[in-house]
Amino acid sequence: MANHDMNPESGVDSAEEGVVAVRRAMRILEAFGVEDAHLSLAELSRRTGCHRSTVLRLARTLALDDYLAQRPDGTWRLARAAGWLGACYQATFNIAEVVQPILRELSAATGESATFYVREGKQRICMARVEGPKSIRHHVRVGAALPLELGSPGRVLLAFSGEAGEPYESVRRAGYMVSLGEREAEVSSISAPVYGINWTLLGAVCISGPISRLSESVLLELKEPILAAASRLSRSLMGARQGNKP
C-alpha cells in the first residue's frame, strides 16, 4: 500500500489536498463566461464558493503559468495559456462526430427535424442539425443565431443557466420545455438540456416542426425520445460509454 504524507495542520492526506487544490483552481478558470472580460477577486470568490484568500493564492499560482493575468485595477482575466487550451480543444474536437449520429437517430425515431443549440452570449447558435424526412418542415441553417428568450431551445438554455422566475422554474422542475408558436407562429418544438463534464450545461437538443403537425399533445408524446437523446448526448460528451447508466 502506498504511503502518503499527512498535513499536520489539516490532518488531510497530502495527495488528497493536492487534488482539492487542482479542482479549486479549475473552478476559478470555469468561473469566467463568454461575456466576462475580467472579474474581481470578490466575484471569483462568490462564483467558486471559495474564500477570497484561497482564490487569491490559486489565482497567483495560475498566473505563474499564464492561465490568469491580473490587471492594474486588481481584477483578473484569462491569459494566454487558457486561450491556447481553448484553441486546441476547438481544433481537435469535432462535435459533429458525437452529436450528429444521435440527432439522426432522434429524427428517424420521431419523423421530425432534430437540432443541437449552444448559448453564445444572448443568442443560441445552431451547431448541428438533421432535417426530418417530411416535405413540410421547419428550416434552420447550421450556424444561425437565434434569440434565447423565444422558443424552447433558448428557454431551456436560460433555465438551466440559472435564469430566475417563470417559466424557467417550471422548466427546471420538468427537465424539458414545449414551445408553441413562440418565435415563429407556425412552428412548435420540445427541447431538453445537454450536459458535459461535471454536469456543466453545454447546450439543448430540440425537435421542431410545423405546429399543425406538432400540437402540444403530440410534443408531449415525444418527451421520452427527446429526454433519452439528451441523456445519451450528455453521456457521450462527458466521455462515458453510451451503454452506461448514469
Side-chain angles (χ1 to χ4, degrees):
M1 181 179 293
N3 292 323
H4 299 291
D5 295 331
M6 300 294 290
N7 185 320
E9 294 183 2
S10 65
V12 177
D13 186 296
S14 59
E16 181 181 344
E17 206 169 53
V19 170
V20 171
V22 170
R23 295 192 67 184
R24 284 176 175 168
M26 293 301 99
R27 280 160 58 188
I28 291 172
L29 295 177
E30 292 168 358
F32 289 87
V34 293
E35 296 181 342
D36 299 319
H38 50 88
L39 294 172
S40 67
L41 183 66
E43 182 62 15
L44 284 170
S45 176
R46 186 188 71 80
R47 293 190 183 188
T48 60
C50 296
H51 194 276
R52 289 192 192 190
S53 61
T54 300
V55 173
L56 180 59
R57 173 172 53 82
L58 292 172
R60 286 173 173 169
T61 301
L62 288 166
L64 292 175
D65 290 311
D66 286 334
Y67 286 94
L68 287 181
Q70 190 170 27
R71 290 158 39 96
D73 63 1
T75 59
W76 293 86
R77 64 173 176 81
L78 294 174
R80 177 195 59 79
W84 175 246
L85 286 180
C88 291
Y89 171 79
Q90 290 182 343
T92 58
F93 176 66
N94 184 358
I95 194 170
E97 291 181 357
V98 177
V99 176
Q100 207 75 15
I102 296 177
L103 292 184
R104 280 197 295 268
E105 291 178 13
L106 179 60
S107 178
T110 62
E112 302 295 343
S113 298
T115 314
F116 178 69
Y117 290 94
V118 298
R119 179 176 183 174
E120 285 192 9
K122 296 182 179 180
Q123 296 179 311
R124 54 181 164 106
I125 308 298
C126 174
M127 293 294 292
R129 181 172 172 86
V130 171
E131 298 289 352
K134 297 181 174 66
S135 58
I136 300 176
R137 55 180 182 256
H138 171 226
H139 294 277
V140 176
R141 63 175 176 81
V142 172
L146 302 173
L148 277 175
E149 69 279 4
L150 296 174
S152 68
R155 296 281 196 183
V156 161
L157 291 171
L158 284 169
F160 291 92
S161 295
E163 192 77 11
E166 292 294 346
Y168 306 109
E169 297 289 349
S170 296
V171 173
R172 282 190 286 273
R173 285 195 299 270
Y176 67 94
M177 181 176 179
V178 167
S179 173
L180 301 170
E182 190 172 25
R183 188 179 69 84
E184 294 182 27
E186 298 178 354
V187 175
S188 61
S189 63
I190 182 170
S191 302
V194 175
Y195 297 93
I197 295 172
N198 295 327
W199 291 97
T200 300
L201 179 69
L202 286 185
V205 62
C206 164
I207 298 168
S208 62
I211 200 169
S212 58
R213 187 167 68 234
L214 293 180
S215 63
E216 183 173 11
S217 60
V218 171
L219 287 172
L220 289 175
E221 290 175 0
L222 298 176
K223 179 181 72 172
E224 293 309 318
I226 194 76
L227 290 175
S231 178
R232 287 187 61 204
L233 274 172
S234 296
R235 293 199 303 271
S236 296
L237 292 169
M238 288 179 194
R241 292 196 299 268
Q242 290 186 4
N244 289 348
K245 296 293 183 181

Short mmCIF file of all heavy atoms in Angstrom, two decimals, residues 157-185:
data_model
loop_
_atom_site.label_atom_id
_atom_site.label_comp_id
_atom_site.label_asym_id
_atom_site.label_seq_id
_atom_site.Cartn_x
_atom_site.Cartn_y
_atom_site.Cartn_z
N LEU A 157 -31.93 26.72 -22.42
CA LEU A 157 -30.59 27.22 -22.13
C LEU A 157 -30.62 28.25 -21.01
O LEU A 157 -29.75 28.26 -20.12
CB LEU A 157 -29.97 27.82 -23.40
CG LEU A 157 -29.62 26.81 -24.49
CD1 LEU A 157 -29.22 27.55 -25.77
CD2 LEU A 157 -28.49 25.89 -24.05
N LEU A 158 -31.60 29.14 -21.03
CA LEU A 158 -31.72 30.14 -19.97
C LEU A 158 -32.07 29.47 -18.63
O LEU A 158 -31.48 29.79 -17.60
CB LEU A 158 -32.81 31.16 -20.32
CG LEU A 158 -32.42 32.21 -21.37
CD1 LEU A 158 -33.66 32.98 -21.82
CD2 LEU A 158 -31.39 33.17 -20.81
N ALA A 159 -33.03 28.55 -18.67
CA ALA A 159 -33.47 27.90 -17.44
C ALA A 159 -32.34 27.19 -16.73
O ALA A 159 -32.13 27.34 -15.53
CB ALA A 159 -34.61 26.92 -17.73
N PHE A 160 -31.56 26.41 -17.50
CA PHE A 160 -30.52 25.61 -16.88
C PHE A 160 -29.19 26.36 -16.76
O PHE A 160 -28.20 25.80 -16.31
CB PHE A 160 -30.37 24.29 -17.63
CG PHE A 160 -31.57 23.39 -17.41
CD1 PHE A 160 -32.63 23.43 -18.30
CD2 PHE A 160 -31.65 22.57 -16.31
CE1 PHE A 160 -33.76 22.64 -18.09
CE2 PHE A 160 -32.76 21.78 -16.09
CZ PHE A 160 -33.82 21.81 -16.98
N SER A 161 -29.23 27.67 -17.13
CA SER A 161 -28.13 28.57 -16.79
C SER A 161 -28.44 29.34 -15.52
O SER A 161 -27.65 30.18 -15.09
CB SER A 161 -27.88 29.56 -17.94
OG SER A 161 -27.44 28.90 -19.10
N GLY A 162 -29.64 29.09 -14.94
CA GLY A 162 -29.98 29.70 -13.67
C GLY A 162 -30.89 30.91 -13.75
O GLY A 162 -31.04 31.64 -12.76
N GLU A 163 -31.52 31.16 -14.90
CA GLU A 163 -32.42 32.31 -15.03
C GLU A 163 -33.56 32.19 -14.01
O GLU A 163 -34.16 31.13 -13.84
CB GLU A 163 -33.01 32.37 -16.44
CG GLU A 163 -33.73 33.65 -16.77
CD GLU A 163 -32.79 34.81 -17.07
OE1 GLU A 163 -31.57 34.57 -17.22
OE2 GLU A 163 -33.28 35.94 -17.16
N ALA A 164 -33.85 33.29 -13.34
CA ALA A 164 -34.85 33.28 -12.26
C ALA A 164 -36.26 33.48 -12.82
O ALA A 164 -36.45 33.98 -13.93
CB ALA A 164 -34.54 34.38 -11.26
N GLY A 165 -37.26 33.11 -12.00
CA GLY A 165 -38.66 33.36 -12.34
C GLY A 165 -39.23 32.33 -13.30
O GLY A 165 -38.61 31.33 -13.65
N GLU A 166 -40.48 32.62 -13.72
CA GLU A 166 -41.17 31.75 -14.68
C GLU A 166 -40.96 32.24 -16.10
O GLU A 166 -40.78 33.43 -16.31
CB GLU A 166 -42.67 31.69 -14.34
CG GLU A 166 -42.99 30.99 -13.04
CD GLU A 166 -42.66 29.49 -13.09
OE1 GLU A 166 -42.43 28.95 -14.19
OE2 GLU A 166 -42.64 28.88 -12.02
N PRO A 167 -40.95 31.34 -17.08
CA PRO A 167 -41.26 29.91 -16.99
C PRO A 167 -40.07 29.03 -16.57
O PRO A 167 -40.17 27.80 -16.59
CB PRO A 167 -41.68 29.57 -18.42
CG PRO A 167 -40.79 30.44 -19.25
CD PRO A 167 -40.68 31.74 -18.49
N TYR A 168 -38.96 29.68 -16.18
CA TYR A 168 -37.71 28.94 -16.00
C TYR A 168 -37.74 27.99 -14.80
O TYR A 168 -37.17 26.90 -14.85
CB TYR A 168 -36.55 29.92 -15.91
CG TYR A 168 -36.54 30.84 -17.10
CD1 TYR A 168 -36.88 32.19 -16.97
CD2 TYR A 168 -36.27 30.35 -18.37
CE1 TYR A 168 -36.91 33.03 -18.07
CE2 TYR A 168 -36.31 31.18 -19.48
CZ TYR A 168 -36.64 32.52 -19.33
OH TYR A 168 -36.69 33.33 -20.42
N GLU A 169 -38.43 28.39 -13.74
CA GLU A 169 -38.56 27.49 -12.58
C GLU A 169 -39.30 26.21 -12.99
O GLU A 169 -38.90 25.10 -12.64
CB GLU A 169 -39.31 28.19 -11.44
CG GLU A 169 -38.61 29.42 -10.87
CD GLU A 169 -37.37 29.09 -10.08
OE1 GLU A 169 -37.14 27.89 -9.79
OE2 GLU A 169 -36.60 30.01 -9.76
N SER A 170 -40.36 26.38 -13.76
CA SER A 170 -41.13 25.22 -14.21
C SER A 170 -40.33 24.34 -15.17
O SER A 170 -40.42 23.11 -15.12
CB SER A 170 -42.42 25.69 -14.90
OG SER A 170 -43.26 26.37 -13.98
N VAL A 171 -39.53 24.97 -16.03
CA VAL A 171 -38.71 24.21 -16.97
C VAL A 171 -37.70 23.37 -16.21
O VAL A 171 -37.47 22.20 -16.53
CB VAL A 171 -38.00 25.16 -17.95
CG1 VAL A 171 -37.01 24.39 -18.83
CG2 VAL A 171 -39.03 25.88 -18.83
N ARG A 172 -37.07 23.95 -15.18
CA ARG A 172 -36.09 23.20 -14.39
C ARG A 172 -36.74 22.02 -13.68
O ARG A 172 -36.16 20.93 -13.60
CB ARG A 172 -35.40 24.13 -13.39
CG ARG A 172 -34.32 25.00 -14.02
CD ARG A 172 -33.51 25.71 -12.96
NE ARG A 172 -34.24 26.81 -12.33
CZ ARG A 172 -34.28 28.05 -12.79
NH1 ARG A 172 -33.62 28.37 -13.89
NH2 ARG A 172 -34.95 29.00 -12.15
N ARG A 173 -37.95 22.22 -13.19
CA ARG A 173 -38.63 21.12 -12.49
C ARG A 173 -39.00 20.00 -13.47
O ARG A 173 -38.86 18.83 -13.15
CB ARG A 173 -39.90 21.65 -11.80
CG ARG A 173 -39.63 22.44 -10.52
CD ARG A 173 -40.91 22.62 -9.71
NE ARG A 173 -41.93 23.36 -10.44
CZ ARG A 173 -42.07 24.69 -10.40
NH1 ARG A 173 -41.22 25.41 -9.67
NH2 ARG A 173 -43.02 25.29 -11.08
N ALA A 174 -39.45 20.38 -14.66
CA ALA A 174 -39.87 19.38 -15.64
C ALA A 174 -38.69 18.69 -16.31
O ALA A 174 -38.75 17.51 -16.65
CB ALA A 174 -40.76 20.03 -16.70
N GLY A 175 -37.62 19.45 -16.55
CA GLY A 175 -36.46 18.90 -17.25
C GLY A 175 -36.54 19.04 -18.76
O GLY A 175 -35.67 18.56 -19.48
N TYR A 176 -37.56 19.73 -19.25
CA TYR A 176 -37.74 19.96 -20.68
C TYR A 176 -38.70 21.13 -20.86
O TYR A 176 -39.29 21.61 -19.90
CB TYR A 176 -38.30 18.72 -21.38
CG TYR A 176 -39.71 18.38 -20.96
CD1 TYR A 176 -40.81 18.85 -21.69
CD2 TYR A 176 -39.96 17.62 -19.82
CE1 TYR A 176 -42.10 18.56 -21.29
CE2 TYR A 176 -41.26 17.32 -19.42
CZ TYR A 176 -42.32 17.80 -20.15
OH TYR A 176 -43.61 17.52 -19.76
N MET A 177 -38.87 21.58 -22.12
CA MET A 177 -39.87 22.63 -22.38
C MET A 177 -40.52 22.42 -23.73
O MET A 177 -39.86 22.05 -24.70
CB MET A 177 -39.24 24.01 -22.34
CG MET A 177 -40.26 25.12 -22.59
SD MET A 177 -39.62 26.78 -22.43
CE MET A 177 -41.13 27.72 -22.83
N VAL A 178 -41.82 22.69 -23.78
CA VAL A 178 -42.59 22.70 -25.02
C VAL A 178 -42.88 24.15 -25.39
O VAL A 178 -43.22 24.96 -24.53
CB VAL A 178 -43.92 21.93 -24.84
CG1 VAL A 178 -44.86 22.20 -26.01
CG2 VAL A 178 -43.65 20.44 -24.70
N SER A 179 -42.71 24.48 -26.66
CA SER A 179 -42.98 25.84 -27.15
C SER A 179 -43.91 25.76 -28.34
O SER A 179 -43.69 24.97 -29.26
CB SER A 179 -41.67 26.53 -27.54
OG SER A 179 -41.93 27.78 -28.15
N LEU A 180 -44.95 26.58 -28.34
CA LEU A 180 -45.93 26.59 -29.42
C LEU A 180 -46.01 27.99 -30.03
O LEU A 180 -46.52 28.92 -29.41
CB LEU A 180 -47.32 26.18 -28.90
CG LEU A 180 -47.41 24.79 -28.25
CD1 LEU A 180 -48.76 24.63 -27.57
CD2 LEU A 180 -47.21 23.70 -29.30
N GLY A 181 -45.46 28.14 -31.22
CA GLY A 181 -45.56 29.41 -31.93
C GLY A 181 -44.93 30.59 -31.23
O GLY A 181 -45.38 31.72 -31.40
N GLU A 182 -43.89 30.37 -30.46
CA GLU A 182 -43.31 31.47 -29.68
C GLU A 182 -42.39 32.34 -30.52
O GLU A 182 -42.49 33.57 -30.49
CB GLU A 182 -42.55 30.91 -28.47
CG GLU A 182 -42.14 31.99 -27.50
CD GLU A 182 -41.56 31.41 -26.22
OE1 GLU A 182 -41.05 30.27 -26.25
OE2 GLU A 182 -41.61 32.10 -25.20
N ARG A 183 -41.47 31.72 -31.26
CA ARG A 183 -40.58 32.52 -32.12
C ARG A 183 -41.18 32.71 -33.50
O ARG A 183 -41.10 33.79 -34.07
CB ARG A 183 -39.20 31.84 -32.23
CG ARG A 183 -38.17 32.70 -32.95
CD ARG A 183 -36.82 32.02 -33.01
NE ARG A 183 -36.82 30.86 -33.90
CZ ARG A 183 -36.64 30.95 -35.23
NH1 ARG A 183 -36.46 32.12 -35.81
NH2 ARG A 183 -36.64 29.85 -35.95
N GLU A 184 -41.75 31.65 -34.04
CA GLU A 184 -42.46 31.72 -35.32
C GLU A 184 -43.85 31.15 -35.10
O GLU A 184 -43.99 30.07 -34.52
CB GLU A 184 -41.72 30.92 -36.40
CG GLU A 184 -40.37 31.50 -36.77
CD GLU A 184 -39.70 30.69 -37.87
OE1 GLU A 184 -40.43 30.07 -38.67
OE2 GLU A 184 -38.47 30.68 -37.93
N ALA A 185 -44.86 31.85 -35.57
CA ALA A 185 -46.25 31.48 -35.28
C ALA A 185 -46.60 30.07 -35.73
O ALA A 185 -47.47 29.43 -35.15
CB ALA A 185 -47.19 32.49 -35.93
#
